[in-house]
Amino acid sequence: MDAGQPGAQQAARLDAADPLAARRELFVLDDPDRPGDAVYLDGNSLGALPRAVPDRVADVIAREWGRLRIRSWTESGWWEAPERIGDRIAPLVGAAPGQIVVGDSTSVNVFKALVGAVRMADEDPGGTGRDEILVDAATFPTDGYLAHSAARLTGRTVRALPPGDLADAVSERTAAVLLNHVDYRTGELHDLPGTTAAAHAAGAYLVADLCHSAGALPVGLDEHGVDFAVGCTYKYLNGGPGAPAYVYLRAAHQGRFDSPLPGWHSHRDPFGMTPDFAPAADARRGRVGTPDLLSMLALEAALTVWDGVAIADVRAKSLALSDFFLRRVEHYVPDGRVTSLTPREHARRGSQVALACPDAEAVMAGLIARGVVGDFRRPGVLRFGFTPLYTSFADVERAARTLAEVLADHGGAGSAG
């Protein structure tokens, strides 16, 4: 890329003024085969590797597992890891300590939270008459599958609606509402506070999926009164492939939460080994069995990149990055060649930009071949994720310019100015 181009000059000015710029050095970003030649805009699918992780994992394997072995459950803090790491995630989603436990997959946690919410509704006055679960029709497919499974288990039906219609649709028939905070396909930010308030006004409970918002924008779980929330840790939280997910159990609900997957780790007295289940009195009710310690401790090391970071600064940079990308795409790409599916309004935008492009799969392959890594969703959607801790404005400028070049190769011409 010609550093004399106006877009490059704009990017350089923005990077020089970026208060988060130094965080980039905490990540492994270069392609070893092509140093300095990788632009990674797929952190909305898999976050980059924090530099602190490899040494920590090596220590866990060689010392904690290799030498201390079973003693690490107590001497290395393995037993408390799900709650300890949950408390590290808590400020990133606006939660006080003691409400998040880490473990299992997002899918398992969605199921636990949704069934638990419906069971709580059953215990409320008139709760057995609440015969429906509301879900947003644009939800990630697995969330929909799990909602139907939870409905079968609890004797409910599922009603799927556009996310913007959920607040108006909640009624005395609704037991629980399942809402994705940010749409995985379009990057649209949905109204979590408003939908939560509407659910509560109707006597229902709200379960939020934070996979595409945690670590990218303020969530405010405590502030907005969200009942339950789940999320993965391998996207904006950079925990690594298959990193454990988490579940948020609002403090006021912990004593009533009835998990459909009770296990010895969620027992009040785990080592009592009693045949009858007696749940813990706190957020440990969200646990099940023995956690995946290697991945969990890798996540704990990854979360150190957040030390001293204000989520408001993350949000400000996220919006600035996506604004800059949209402007540069408009500058380089001919009108009509791609169309943004992501809302322009900041209040409705997550931390990705999705572009409708008929030949998205081939275009993304061309981008990756030129060192710009995003991803695509069928049919015809290019996705570009902006991870404020390591994405630079120079990355964004290069991505937009390269997109125009690839699109020109597939038909059409872009501007070079």
Side-chain angles (χ1 to χ4, degrees):
M1 180 176 68
D2 183 351
Q5 292 289 342
Q9 293 171 357
Q10 293 177 47
R13 288 194 297 270
L14 290 166
D15 282 328
D18 175 17
L20 296 176
R23 296 280 158 172
R24 183 179 174 93
E25 298 304 315
L26 301 179
F27 294 87
V28 176
L29 295 172
D30 277 346
D31 181 339
D33 297 324
R34 297 186 299 180
D37 195 35
V39 171
Y40 190 66
L41 299 182
D42 207 8
N44 53 323
S45 280
L46 177 64
L49 172 66
R51 293 187 185 277
V53 172
D55 286 347
R56 174 60 178 138
V57 171
D59 181 65
V60 170
I61 292 172
R63 182 178 61 85
E64 295 185 6
W65 179 16
R67 294 200 291 275
L68 294 178
R69 293 180 287 273
I70 201 167
R71 292 160 52 197
S72 280
W73 283 103
T74 53
E75 296 182 24
S76 301
W78 285 4
W79 187 269
E80 301 82 11
E83 293 79 42
R84 182 179 70 245
I85 301 170
D87 284 346
R88 292 205 71 142
I89 293 172
L92 302 179
V93 293
Q99 299 179 98
I100 294 178
V101 291
V102 174
D104 305 312
S105 67
T106 307
S107 303
V108 171
N109 286 326
V110 168
F111 184 72
K112 287 188 290 190
L114 195 54
V115 173
V118 174
R119 288 178 172 177
M120 283 179 54
D122 279 343
E123 296 176 352
D124 293 339
T128 54
R130 295 181 176 274
D131 62 356
E132 70 177 11
I133 298 170
L134 297 185
V135 302
D136 65 273
T139 190
F140 188 76
T142 297
D143 286 26
Y145 307 154
L146 291 163
H148 282 280
S149 181
R152 291 194 300 273
L153 180 68
T154 59
R156 265 65 180 186
T157 59
V158 172
R159 187 152 63 106
L161 297 166
D165 295 347
L166 289 174
D168 291 335
V170 184
S171 72
E172 68 280 355
R173 294 184 52 193
T174 309
V177 180
L178 175 60
L179 175 70
N180 277 252
H181 195 193
V182 173
D183 188 297
Y184 79 98
R185 190 167 179 271
T186 67
E188 180 174 0
L189 175 63
H190 297 143
D191 184 8
L192 179 59
T195 308
T196 301
H200 290 172
Y205 296 96
L206 193 289
V207 179
D209 184 328
L210 308 180
C211 285
H212 286 268
S213 57
L217 53 90
V219 176
L221 292 177
D222 287 352
E223 176 187 358
H224 303 308
V226 175
D227 300 298
F228 305 104
V230 302
C232 65
T233 61
Y234 48 78
K235 301 182 189 295
Y236 296 107
L237 299 184
N238 310 293
Y246 58 90
V247 60
Y248 163 88
L249 307 180
R250 189 167 183 80
H253 298 330
Q254 289 173 9
R256 297 180 59 206
F257 182 71
D258 182 8
S259 173
L261 297 173
W264 73 294
H265 277 235
S266 58
H267 198 286
R268 185 177 304 161
D269 181 15
F271 292 96
M273 303 298 174
T274 61
D276 298 323
F277 180 70
D282 52 24
R284 288 175 296 163
R285 289 191 182 208
R287 294 177 68 162
V288 183
T290 305
D292 42 356
L293 263 302
L294 296 181
S295 292
M296 189 171 292
L297 297 174
L299 168 63
E300 185 172 30
L303 290 170
T304 60
V305 300
W306 293 95
D307 291 348
V309 173
I311 200 68
D313 290 340
V314 172
R315 177 60 168 166
K317 183 177 176 183
S318 166
L319 292 171
L321 287 167
S322 51
D323 279 343
F324 186 57
F325 180 71
L326 287 167
R327 290 197 303 270
R328 299 314 294 168
V329 168
E330 289 174 351
H331 178 75
Y332 290 129
V333 177
D335 289 345
R337 184 63 174 87
V338 296
T339 304
S340 178
L341 301 174
T342 305
R344 284 281 188 173
E345 305 95 312
H346 285 181
R348 296 178 56 220
R349 189 192 310 167
S351 198
Q352 77 176 41
V353 169
L355 301 177
C357 177
D359 46 349
E361 187 169 359
V363 169
M364 185 53 66
L367 282 165
I368 292 171
R370 300 185 191 206
V372 175
V373 180
D375 69 8
F376 70 94
R377 287 291 179 266
R378 298 172 182 165
V381 177
L382 298 167
R383 297 196 318 165
F384 300 92
F386 303 95
T387 307
L389 294 193
Y390 57 75
T391 303
S392 69
F393 290 91
D395 288 340
V396 170
E397 158 65 19
R398 180 178 158 199
R401 176 180 285 273
T402 305
L403 173 62
E405 294 168 355
V406 173
L407 289 170
D409 289 346
H410 285 259
S415 167

